[in-house]
Amino acid sequence: MSFGKNISISIFGESHGNGIGTVIEGLPSGIKLDMDEIAQEMKRRAPGQNKLSTTRKEADSAQIQSGVFEGYTTGTPLAAVIANNDTHSKDYSILKTHMRPGHADYAGSVRYSGFNDYRGGGHFSGRLTAPLVFAGAIAKQVLKSYGVTVGAHISQIEHVRDANFDPVNVDATRLHKLLAKELPVIDDTKIDAIKEAILNAKNECDSVGGKIECAIVGLKAGIGNPFFDSLESTIAHLAFSVPAVKAISFGIGEQFAHLRGTVANDSYHLVDNNIKTKTNNNGGITGGISTGMPVIFETVIKPTPSISQQQQTVNIKDNIETTLKIEGRHDPCIVQRAVVVIEAIAAIAVLELWR
Amino acid sequence: MSFGKNISISIFGESHGNGIGTVIEGLPSGIKLDMDEIAQEMKRRAPGQNKLSTTRKEADSAQIQSGVFEGYTTGTPLAAVIANNDTHSKDYSILKTHMRPGHADYAGSVRYSGFNDYRGGGHFSGRLTAPLVFAGAIAKQVLKSYGVTVGAHISQIEHVRDANFDPVNVDATRLHKLLAKELPVIDDTKIDAIKEAILNAKNECDSVGGKIECAIVGLKAGIGNPFFDSLESTIAHLAFSVPAVKAISFGIGEQFAHLRGTVANDSYHLVDNNIKTKTNNNGGITGGISTGMPVIFETVIKPTPSISQQQQTVNIKDNIETTLKIEGRHDPCIVQRAVVVIEAIAAIAVLELWR
Amino acid sequence: MSFGKNISISIFGESHGNGIGTVIEGLPSGIKLDMDEIAQEMKRRAPGQNKLSTTRKEADSAQIQSGVFEGYTTGTPLAAVIANNDTHSKDYSILKTHMRPGHADYAGSVRYSGFNDYRGGGHFSGRLTAPLVFAGAIAKQVLKSYGVTVGAHISQIEHVRDANFDPVNVDATRLHKLLAKELPVIDDTKIDAIKEAILNAKNECDSVGGKIECAIVGLKAGIGNPFFDSLESTIAHLAFSVPAVKAISFGIGEQFAHLRGTVANDSYHLVDNNIKTKTNNNGGITGGISTGMPVIFETVIKPTPSISQQQQTVNIKDNIETTLKIEGRHDPCIVQRAVVVIEAIAAIAVLELWR
Amino acid sequence: MSFGKNISISIFGESHGNGIGTVIEGLPSGIKLDMDEIAQEMKRRAPGQNKLSTTRKEADSAQIQSGVFEGYTTGTPLAAVIANNDTHSKDYSILKTHMRPGHADYAGSVRYSGFNDYRGGGHFSGRLTAPLVFAGAIAKQVLKSYGVTVGAHISQIEHVRDANFDPVNVDATRLHKLLAKELPVIDDTKIDAIKEAILNAKNECDSVGGKIECAIVGLKAGIGNPFFDSLESTIAHLAFSVPAVKAISFGIGEQFAHLRGTVANDSYHLVDNNIKTKTNNNGGITGGISTGMPVIFETVIKPTPSISQQQQTVNIKDNIETTLKIEGRHDPCIVQRAVVVIEAIAAIAVLELWR
């Protein structure tokens, strides 16, 4: 179902259907849209960019249907459709009966009583993150007019760990630098090891997971609500709408479990007469509301379940145990393509709570 | 703002106001309510139960206003009010100006332009989890009629780690056993170390954090939705509505980051002709939808920011740096009281998505 | 279920339960509340004020639980509970089986599978409009700070017709004048005929219906949305949430059906350099959005179905035809008490759409 | 913003943009769709069918993007796009400054700060009812599987009045008969007078309004909710989302105002052991919930404001009074094209509340 109260975002489509897309409602009118920037964002997620991802090639060009007039948002619903072009006309019918381990096939089949489109994962496909990225690109342009910038980097691939954002000093300049990189990491010395980890997995017909750390900078204090519509609730809600995300943490996250209050608390001080915290263990959020410090969160991305090794599974039509080897084009790692998706949901979350 | 589409839950109140409470809408009619069980749930969270928590004493007796008739839910809105009794009439006005580090004071003051009730944290107080527990107790009784049981345990306090749930075999019997314990842990040999960790912090005017692991058992496959209303999104949304929760992970969570797909994927097999997974790394959820395996998630609880040591902060009225020593009654650790709160939000999440 | 996205209003309770009430979320912080004015609004609806209404006496004093601090709204949920005091402890059990014609008894019993509280109409009782009036009183005070005033009058009782608002020139002064009247009508010469109509019905153990015309003045242009969240949709949604409302019309309403466009269209002109319409046939709304002219709508209120004459009905327990004579205290006419309820929903609607 | 909680419907587009369309979420899976029937419904609303409507010709062929697989609904979002083909490339810029009386131009321009697409009314165009009809056609097919049929007729054009539905005995057969008619009326002897009224207005460069009466038959008792999500609230909300609707009444509507309770109440009796009402003055709804009798409501449609006579208005750019003669293609009457739109919103409303 669609997301949001202040803005409302629907995404639709199946991996091998006619088209996928989004309808975004509740945008402010009069925001000048930079179409090149939107296309660039789409390209950051698009498949087939290099040998680290699937060979499926999609232009992922979003055709805007409505809501933009003479280059500006009208404030009425903004709809965009992205065609599915590179859909192989092979026989997918085995996916109707043989459940791929780790995928949504089985849960989805039960949920929709077997009527779901199983081709290429159907509506559950990671391809549906393309309209999310589109919506995020729009959200980012709105946020830019509010002085807010969102950026993310690969913080881990398998056992390779990137540096972290400086939670107190990360700023728009540092975030923009990441955009220029093929593999967005803070510590460039880690790039080779990351590539190696991904290609090793690829060569072994396997896949790897990782983490993405995201920062929202320039966000004023006071955004978010106590309890149900907290900034953390809203970001997490959207983050877990992204396929393969299995964990999220804010600020120092798990470290809070073994720290004392004296260490964990972020003391306030004045910087140029503005209230800041000396540390930012809370990741820019207390009581569900932004503090004015950078919002920092990290998500865990599981290894893509599509691997071309034989796996044990069940044939749900005949209710018998069987094996399955998934043919076709796979990503050995989706973390690098998911970076812009995580940025997108962060931007949408902030826009939803903006006031 | 209120939570939910199928059910709708509002919680209201301030720590030192007249009363706190909840309105729950969308409940099925005809559910027989066990009032003793509800009172027992309230007691699990209530303050003043032992020396591990604050000395504030509250009966936390929920007065049902509506929605229950002759012992059964009517299906119309169920409202309950809990009186605030043990409110000290001391002068809280320093909290209007001196922001407590780690608390919502500053973010809340900006959010509400200084009009929020600052006494005892006001609406941001952990006391507001009492109506959440009430709503959860109702949700649990509805879920019981669907064969679903929710249970949780302290999985970590500071550096002391409890055993984990067996993600494949955890069942209602094992969850019920936890209810009888003063400190709900799986491995009873850890109890002394946990108590020691909490009391050490208390003696040193400090506080400690921890983790809570929660299981939902008996949940059929097919609950949840792809993308925005996924089971993970809904649980996480509510989990981050609980004050002090800073991270959540499903299944093996963070471990996904360094695992290969071959290891991480949960293979399907048949058990008594029912489709099960051999492992349950995904924590009972794929594609945002329940698989029929136990749903397992873990939350990180930060150390309560209220500590009676002097901390550096800012006086926002005079915009100067200052120090603050928080007087009053504190919890050296809220993890043990939060166990039932986490269970409550899990139950509410499942009820919201039930179909 | 609760109403609203920007604000969220829940109402709860049953006619003979412990208490009724409301939770209002999303209010701006810092609105100074005039408690006397709120009590005055409650009194306008309260029963037992004169011989034109039921003899049930309720103080309808709303106990605010939360959301108000030192006389100002905090911006957090504002909850209020109203006790049910004058509940006769008579035997209502006949209402469980004998469906009162025109009442919600039968539809409600099916809806809630017989578990609804049938005493005095339970949750379907007009008594539930008391929390609506409370919420409306709060909404009016917020709107006052925006320069918006809402007022209504009895426009018809049975065959007696009051004058209409001047749709172009009605203003706050004229609306305030109505507040001072026992029977709020524009043309005071109609008061005797109205009283006579009501008392005649009362003497004949019958009831009468009528109409209420409402005006919203001071509303700037641009409030409302095209299609689903139009100003008309929002007002109508809430109006039909008021028991006994069976029709609503905006501006000249039904007359549009037989008029030509040349006559119906409201031409624009300039008044003191402000854009106004010469006529206001559209009742201040075009395309679902306010035009800056007074918003005018009229609702039809059916005669209260409770009459102390014998009526034919069905006993749903035994599934046989039977007769029923409703004992107890009734309103021969609820139109005069509903005036403030209609004002309340108008105020809530505007607040929901405010931007 | 989108409509609905159980289902969620977004509509998007502008009269002269790339395309218009809808996204429908929350549909049950496994409903076989009759594409011919959907096309037939689209044709009932489509322009250019005869000389009673505008000469703009649009195929209004909906291209389904997603949510349908092998002829059945998948249960995932169903999106459809309708191209705008017959858009005249004339200069519409006068509509940016010269506000058309009775249209949304002025209110819309204020609402969207002048950034709205003004060509042909933009997002406010009646053309946006095409996706509503599409969504309604889908909803009708779902409702058919529940045994529910929706139908409507022109009940009035200017001074010509059709017969009314028999509120007790109207059934699916009688509703289906209306579908075959070019002008759907109950009393065929009124057709000539209706055509004459429309053509007279057309010849005089004017327009006429009218009324549409709608019936929902086969609806079981118990659908709808007390207060905010009443069946009347939901239908009315959607009805006022249809451009030009200015009033709605349920059952005998306005007549309730002058009737006594003894006359207005619908007595219950048994028909073949089923509980029915002898009369159906309440239009099949009491307490906001269906009674099992036919749901009957009537809407008032204002004369289309587009008339090719000179009208007085204001130029908002120069803030001066001026005149405007609207060129282009107009409907002298939209009532006949709106019949299927009213049916659509009725079907959507019932689907939203279905349980």
Side-chain angles (χ1 to χ4, degrees):
Chain A
M1 298 283 284
S2 55
F3 168 82
K5 291 173 192 167
N6 294 322
I7 53 161
S8 168
I9 293 185
S10 303
I11 59 172
F12 59 83
E14 283 93 27
S15 183
H16 291 68
N18 285 343
I20 60 179
T22 184
V23 181
I24 313 166
E25 303 181 61
L27 289 172
S29 62
I31 302 290
K32 185 154 184 55
L33 294 183
D34 181 333
M35 296 301 173
D36 290 340
E37 205 169 283
I38 294 171
Q40 187 54 38
E41 289 282 284
M42 296 301 286
K43 204 176 163 193
R44 290 175 67 201
R45 193 216 69 93
Q49 303 285 315
N50 56 39
K51 60 184 176 173
L52 301 176
S53 74
T54 174
T55 56
R56 178 170 175 172
K57 277 201 180 297
E58 292 284 1
D60 281 357
S61 166
Q63 303 300 316
I64 293 177
Q65 302 294 314
S66 63
V68 181
F69 183 52
E70 297 177 345
Y72 292 85
T73 58
T74 57
T76 56
L78 194 165
V81 177
I82 301 161
N84 286 327
N85 294 315
D86 186 13
T87 53
H88 283 191
S89 56
K90 66 165 188 168
D91 182 9
Y92 281 97
S93 57
I94 197 172
L95 295 186
K96 187 170 188 176
T97 54
H98 290 56
M99 304 292 95
R100 293 175 301 173
H103 268 290
D105 299 359
Y106 173 62
S109 180
V110 174
R111 171 68 179 78
Y112 295 114
S113 310
F115 287 98
N116 53 308
D117 181 351
Y118 47 78
R119 298 169 302 165
H123 184 60
F124 291 91
S125 170
R127 181 148 180 72
L128 269 287
T129 57
L132 264 186
V133 169
F134 176 83
I138 302 284
K140 279 177 181 176
Q141 299 202 8
V142 178
L143 291 184
K144 186 191 283 179
S145 74
Y146 302 157
V148 177
T149 305
V150 178
H153 70 105
I154 301 169
S155 50
Q156 185 175 329
I157 296 287
E158 210 178 17
H159 296 287
V160 189
R161 185 81 215 165
D162 188 21
N164 278 352
F165 284 129
D166 172 341
V168 171
N169 295 310
V170 59
D171 59 12
T173 309
R174 292 172 213 217
L175 296 181
H176 285 139
K177 262 192 212 160
L178 291 166
L179 281 176
K181 303 184 181 188
E182 186 194 13
L183 283 182
V185 291
I186 294 173
D187 178 357
D188 288 346
T189 69
K190 302 296 175 67
I191 289 180
D192 288 346
I194 286 174
K195 284 187 177 174
E196 195 185 342
I198 297 174
L199 292 175
N200 278 350
K202 185 182 181 184
N203 292 337
E204 296 166 27
C205 298
D206 212 336
S207 61
V208 285
K211 295 186 185 177
I212 294 167
E213 190 189 35
C214 184
I216 306 167
V217 304
L219 184 63
K220 64 184 178 186
I223 299 299
N225 299 292
F227 300 100
F228 300 131
D229 289 342
S230 79
L231 185 48
E232 289 144 323
S233 287
T234 306
I235 291 173
H237 190 128
L238 283 164
F240 285 113
S241 302
V242 178
V245 171
K246 293 301 283 186
I248 190 168
S249 58
F250 290 86
I252 57 169
E254 205 196 12
Q255 297 178 56
F256 276 118
H258 57 74
L259 289 184
R260 290 281 183 90
T262 40
V263 179
N265 282 350
D266 297 308
S267 295
Y268 293 100
H269 65 152
L270 292 171
V271 178
D272 301 334
N273 276 322
N274 295 314
I275 297 169
K276 301 283 175 191
T277 56
K278 293 180 189 172
T279 51
N280 186 14
N281 296 328
N282 281 288
I285 306 173
T286 55
I289 299 174
S290 64
T291 62
M293 297 299 291
V295 170
I296 310 278
F297 68 94
E298 190 172 47
T299 55
V300 173
I301 313 287
K302 74 176 183 180
T304 173
S306 290
I307 50 176
S308 39
Q309 294 188 29
Q310 184 171 292
Q311 297 180 88
Q312 290 189 286
T313 189
V314 166
N315 170 337
I316 60 168
K317 191 177 156 224
D318 302 327
N319 212 40
I320 52 168
E321 298 187 346
T322 183
T323 59
L324 174 69
K325 192 174 157 191
I326 309 171
E327 309 290 350
R329 304 162 296 184
H330 314 310
D331 287 279
C333 181
I334 55 168
V335 178
Q336 70 278 21
R337 292 178 59 200
V339 169
V340 66
V341 183
I342 295 297
E343 290 175 11
I345 62 95
I348 293 168
V350 172
L351 193 56
E352 163 69 10
L353 296 173
W354 192 262
R355 46 196 301 282
Chain B
M1 298 283 283
S2 55
F3 168 82
K5 291 173 192 167
N6 294 322
I7 51 161
S8 169
I9 293 185
S10 304
I11 59 171
F12 59 83
E14 283 93 27
S15 183
H16 291 69
N18 285 342
I20 59 179
T22 182
V23 181
I24 313 167
E25 303 182 59
L27 289 172
S29 62
I31 302 290
K32 186 156 182 53
L33 293 184
D34 181 332
M35 296 301 174
D36 290 341
E37 205 169 283
I38 294 171
Q40 187 54 37
E41 289 282 284
M42 297 301 287
K43 203 177 164 192
R44 290 175 68 202
R45 194 215 68 93
Q49 304 285 315
N50 55 40
K51 61 185 176 174
L52 301 176
S53 73
T54 173
T55 55
R56 177 170 176 174
K57 277 200 181 301
E58 290 284 1
D60 280 357
S61 166
Q63 303 301 315
I64 293 178
Q65 302 294 315
S66 64
V68 181
F69 183 52
E70 297 176 345
Y72 292 85
T73 57
T74 57
T76 56
L78 195 166
V81 177
I82 301 162
N84 286 327
N85 294 313
D86 187 14
T87 52
H88 283 190
S89 54
K90 66 166 187 167
D91 182 9
Y92 281 95
S93 58
I94 196 172
L95 296 186
K96 189 170 187 176
T97 54
H98 290 58
M99 303 291 96
R100 293 174 301 171
H103 269 289
D105 300 0
Y106 173 62
S109 180
V110 174
R111 170 69 180 78
Y112 296 113
S113 309
F115 287 99
N116 53 308
D117 180 351
Y118 47 78
R119 297 169 303 164
H123 185 60
F124 292 90
S125 169
R127 181 148 180 72
L128 269 287
T129 57
L132 264 186
V133 168
F134 176 84
I138 302 284
K140 280 178 179 177
Q141 299 203 8
V142 178
L143 292 185
K144 185 190 284 181
S145 73
Y146 301 158
V148 178
T149 305
V150 178
H153 69 106
I154 300 169
S155 50
Q156 186 176 328
I157 295 288
E158 209 177 19
H159 296 287
V160 189
R161 184 82 213 165
D162 188 21
N164 277 353
F165 283 129
D166 173 342
V168 171
N169 296 309
V170 58
D171 59 11
T173 308
R174 292 173 214 215
L175 296 181
H176 286 139
K177 262 191 212 159
L178 292 165
L179 282 177
K181 303 183 180 186
E182 187 194 14
L183 282 183
V185 291
I186 295 174
D187 179 357
D188 288 347
T189 68
K190 302 297 175 65
I191 288 180
D192 287 348
I194 286 174
K195 284 188 177 173
E196 195 185 340
I198 297 174
L199 293 175
N200 278 348
K202 186 181 179 182
N203 292 336
E204 295 166 27
C205 298
D206 212 335
S207 61
V208 284
K211 294 185 185 178
I212 294 167
E213 190 189 35
C214 184
I216 307 168
V217 304
L219 185 63
K220 64 184 178 185
I223 299 299
N225 299 291
F227 300 99
F228 301 129
D229 289 342
S230 78
L231 185 48
E232 287 144 324
S233 288
T234 306
I235 291 173
H237 191 125
L238 283 165
F240 286 113
S241 302
V242 178
V245 171
K246 292 301 282 187
I248 189 168
S249 59
F250 291 86
I252 56 169
E254 204 196 14
Q255 296 179 55
F256 276 117
H258 57 74
L259 290 185
R260 289 281 184 90
T262 41
V263 178
N265 282 350
D266 298 308
S267 296
Y268 293 101
H269 65 152
L270 292 172
V271 178
D272 301 335
N273 276 321
N274 295 314
I275 297 169
K276 301 284 175 191
T277 57
K278 291 180 192 173
T279 50
N280 186 14
N281 296 329
N282 281 288
I285 307 172
T286 55
I289 298 174
S290 64
T291 63
M293 297 299 291
V295 170
I296 309 279
F297 68 93
E298 192 172 48
T299 55
V300 173
I301 312 288
K302 74 176 184 181
T304 175
S306 289
I307 49 176
S308 38
Q309 294 188 29
Q310 184 170 292
Q311 297 180 88
Q312 290 189 288
T313 190
V314 166
N315 170 337
I316 61 168
K317 191 178 155 221
D318 302 326
N319 212 39
I320 52 167
E321 298 187 346
T322 183
T323 59
L324 175 70
K325 191 173 157 192
I326 308 170
E327 309 290 350
R329 303 162 294 182
H330 314 309
D331 286 279
C333 180
I334 54 167
V335 179
Q336 70 277 21
R337 292 179 59 200
V339 169
V340 65
V341 182
I342 295 298
E343 291 175 11
I345 63 92
I348 293 167
V350 172
L351 193 57
E352 163 69 8
L353 296 172
W354 193 261
R355 45 195 304 280
Chain C
M1 298 285 283
S2 56
F3 169 82
K5 291 173 191 168
N6 294 322
I7 52 161
S8 168
I9 294 184
S10 303
I11 59 172
F12 60 82
E14 284 92 27
S15 183
H16 291 68
N18 284 343
I20 60 178
T22 183
V23 181
I24 313 167
E25 302 181 61
L27 289 172
S29 63
I31 302 290
K32 187 158 182 51
L33 294 184
D34 181 333
M35 296 301 173
D36 290 340
E37 204 169 284
I38 294 171
Q40 187 54 37
E41 289 283 283
M42 296 302 285
K43 202 176 165 192
R44 288 176 67 201
R45 193 216 69 93
Q49 303 286 315
N50 56 39
K51 62 184 177 174
L52 300 177
S53 73
T54 173
T55 55
R56 178 171 175 174
K57 276 201 181 297
E58 291 284 1
D60 281 358
S61 166
Q63 302 301 315
I64 292 177
Q65 302 295 314
S66 64
V68 181
F69 183 53
E70 299 178 342
Y72 292 84
T73 57
T74 57
T76 57
L78 195 166
V81 177
I82 302 162
N84 286 326
N85 294 314
D86 187 14
T87 53
H88 282 190
S89 54
K90 67 165 186 168
D91 181 9
Y92 280 96
S93 58
I94 198 173
L95 295 185
K96 189 171 187 176
T97 54
H98 290 58
M99 303 291 95
R100 293 174 301 172
H103 269 289
D105 300 358
Y106 173 62
S109 180
V110 174
R111 171 68 180 78
Y112 296 112
S113 309
F115 286 98
N116 54 307
D117 181 351
Y118 46 78
R119 296 170 302 165
H123 185 59
F124 292 91
S125 169
R127 180 144 181 73
L128 268 286
T129 57
L132 263 186
V133 168
F134 176 83
I138 302 285
K140 280 178 181 176
Q141 299 200 8
V142 178
L143 292 185
K144 185 191 283 180
S145 73
Y146 301 156
V148 178
T149 305
V150 178
H153 69 105
I154 300 168
S155 51
Q156 186 176 329
I157 295 287
E158 209 179 17
H159 297 286
V160 188
R161 184 82 214 166
D162 187 23
N164 278 353
F165 283 128
D166 173 342
V168 171
N169 296 310
V170 58
D171 59 12
T173 309
R174 290 173 215 217
L175 296 181
H176 286 139
K177 260 191 213 162
L178 291 165
L179 282 176
K181 303 184 179 185
E182 185 194 14
L183 283 183
V185 291
I186 296 174
D187 178 357
D188 288 345
T189 67
K190 301 299 175 65
I191 289 179
D192 287 347
I194 285 175
K195 285 188 176 174
E196 194 184 343
I198 297 174
L199 292 175
N200 278 349
K202 185 182 182 183
N203 293 337
E204 295 166 29
C205 298
D206 212 336
S207 62
V208 284
K211 294 185 184 177
I212 294 167
E213 191 187 34
C214 183
I216 307 167
V217 305
L219 184 63
K220 64 185 177 185
I223 298 299
N225 299 289
F227 300 101
F228 301 131
D229 289 340
S230 78
L231 185 48
E232 287 144 322
S233 287
T234 306
I235 291 172
H237 191 126
L238 283 165
F240 285 113
S241 302
V242 178
V245 170
K246 294 299 284 186
I248 189 169
S249 58
F250 291 85
I252 56 169
E254 204 196 13
Q255 296 178 57
F256 276 117
H258 57 73
L259 290 184
R260 290 281 185 90
T262 39
V263 178
N265 283 350
D266 297 308
S267 297
Y268 293 101
H269 66 153
L270 292 171
V271 178
D272 300 334
N273 276 321
N274 296 313
I275 297 169
K276 301 284 176 190
T277 57
K278 293 182 189 169
T279 50
N280 186 14
N281 296 328
N282 281 287
I285 306 173
T286 56
I289 298 172
S290 64
T291 61
M293 298 297 292
V295 170
I296 309 278
F297 68 94
E298 190 172 49
T299 56
V300 173
I301 312 288
K302 75 176 183 180
T304 176
S306 289
I307 50 176
S308 39
Q309 295 189 26
Q310 183 170 292
Q311 296 181 89
Q312 290 189 289
T313 189
V314 166
N315 170 337
I316 61 168
K317 190 178 156 223
D318 303 326
N319 212 39
I320 52 168
E321 298 187 344
T322 183
T323 60
L324 174 69
K325 191 174 159 192
I326 309 171
E327 308 291 349
R329 303 162 295 182
H330 314 307
D331 286 279
C333 182
I334 54 167
V335 178
Q336 71 278 21
R337 292 179 58 200
V339 168
V340 66
V341 182
I342 294 298
E343 290 175 11
I345 63 94
I348 293 168
V350 172
L351 193 57
E352 162 69 9
L353 296 172
W354 192 261
R355 46 196 302 281
Chain D
M1 298 283 283
S2 57
F3 169 82
K5 290 174 193 168
N6 294 320
I7 52 163
S8 168
I9 294 184
S10 303
I11 59 173
F12 60 82
E14 284 93 27
S15 183
H16 291 69
N18 285 343
I20 59 178
T22 183
V23 181
I24 313 168
E25 302 181 62
L27 289 173
S29 63
I31 302 290
K32 188 159 182 49
L33 294 184
D34 181 333
M35 296 300 174
D36 290 341
E37 205 169 285
I38 294 171
Q40 187 53 37
E41 289 282 284
M42 296 301 287
K43 203 176 163 192
R44 289 175 67 200
R45 192 215 70 92
Q49 303 286 315
N50 55 39
K51 62 183 178 177
L52 300 177
S53 74
T54 172
T55 56
R56 178 171 175 173
K57 276 199 183 299
E58 292 284 1
D60 281 356
S61 166
Q63 304 300 315
I64 293 177
Q65 302 295 313
S66 65
V68 181
F69 183 52
E70 298 177 344
Y72 292 85
T73 57
T74 57
T76 55
L78 195 165
V81 177
I82 301 162
N84 286 326
N85 295 314
D86 187 14
T87 52
H88 282 191
S89 56
K90 65 165 189 169
D91 182 9
Y92 281 96
S93 57
I94 197 172
L95 295 186
K96 189 171 186 177
T97 53
H98 290 58
M99 303 292 95
R100 293 174 301 171
H103 269 289
D105 299 0
Y106 173 62
S109 180
V110 174
R111 171 67 180 80
Y112 296 112
S113 309
F115 287 98
N116 54 308
D117 180 352
Y118 48 78
R119 297 168 302 163
H123 185 60
F124 292 90
S125 169
R127 180 146 182 72
L128 268 286
T129 57
L132 263 186
V133 168
F134 175 83
I138 302 284
K140 279 178 180 175
Q141 299 201 9
V142 178
L143 291 185
K144 186 191 283 181
S145 74
Y146 302 156
V148 178
T149 306
V150 178
H153 69 105
I154 301 169
S155 51
Q156 185 175 328
I157 295 287
E158 209 177 17
H159 297 288
V160 188
R161 184 81 213 168
D162 187 22
N164 277 353
F165 284 129
D166 173 341
V168 171
N169 297 308
V170 58
D171 59 12
T173 309
R174 291 173 215 215
L175 296 181
H176 286 139
K177 261 192 213 161
L178 292 165
L179 283 176
K181 302 184 180 185
E182 185 195 13
L183 282 182
V185 291
I186 295 173
D187 178 357
D188 288 346
T189 67
K190 302 298 174 66
I191 289 179
D192 287 348
I194 286 174
K195 285 188 176 173
E196 195 185 341
I198 297 174
L199 293 175
N200 278 350
K202 186 182 181 182
N203 293 338
E204 295 166 28
C205 298
D206 211 335
S207 61
V208 284
K211 295 185 184 178
I212 294 168
E213 190 188 34
C214 184
I216 306 168
V217 304
L219 184 63
K220 64 185 178 185
I223 299 299
N225 298 291
F227 299 101
F228 300 130
D229 289 342
S230 78
L231 185 48
E232 288 144 323
S233 287
T234 306
I235 292 173
H237 191 126
L238 283 164
F240 285 113
S241 301
V242 178
V245 169
K246 293 300 283 187
I248 189 168
S249 58
F250 291 85
I252 57 170
E254 205 197 13
Q255 296 178 56
F256 276 117
H258 56 73
L259 289 185
R260 291 280 184 93
T262 40
V263 178
N265 283 350
D266 297 308
S267 297
Y268 293 101
H269 66 151
L270 292 172
V271 178
D272 301 333
N273 276 321
N274 295 313
I275 297 169
K276 300 284 175 190
T277 57
K278 292 181 189 171
T279 50
N280 185 14
N281 296 329
N282 280 287
I285 306 172
T286 55
I289 299 173
S290 65
T291 62
M293 298 298 293
V295 169
I296 309 278
F297 68 92
E298 192 172 49
T299 55
V300 173
I301 313 288
K302 74 176 184 180
T304 176
S306 289
I307 50 177
S308 39
Q309 294 189 29
Q310 183 171 293
Q311 298 180 85
Q312 291 190 286
T313 189
V314 166
N315 171 336
I316 61 169
K317 190 177 155 223
D318 303 327
N319 212 37
I320 52 168
E321 298 186 347
T322 182
T323 60
L324 174 70
K325 191 174 160 193
I326 308 170
E327 307 292 347
R329 303 163 296 183
H330 315 307
D331 286 279
C333 180
I334 54 167
V335 179
Q336 70 278 21
R337 292 179 60 200
V339 169
V340 66
V341 182
I342 294 298
E343 290 175 11
I345 62 93
I348 293 168
V350 172
L351 193 57
E352 162 69 9
L353 295 173
W354 192 261
R355 49 196 302 279

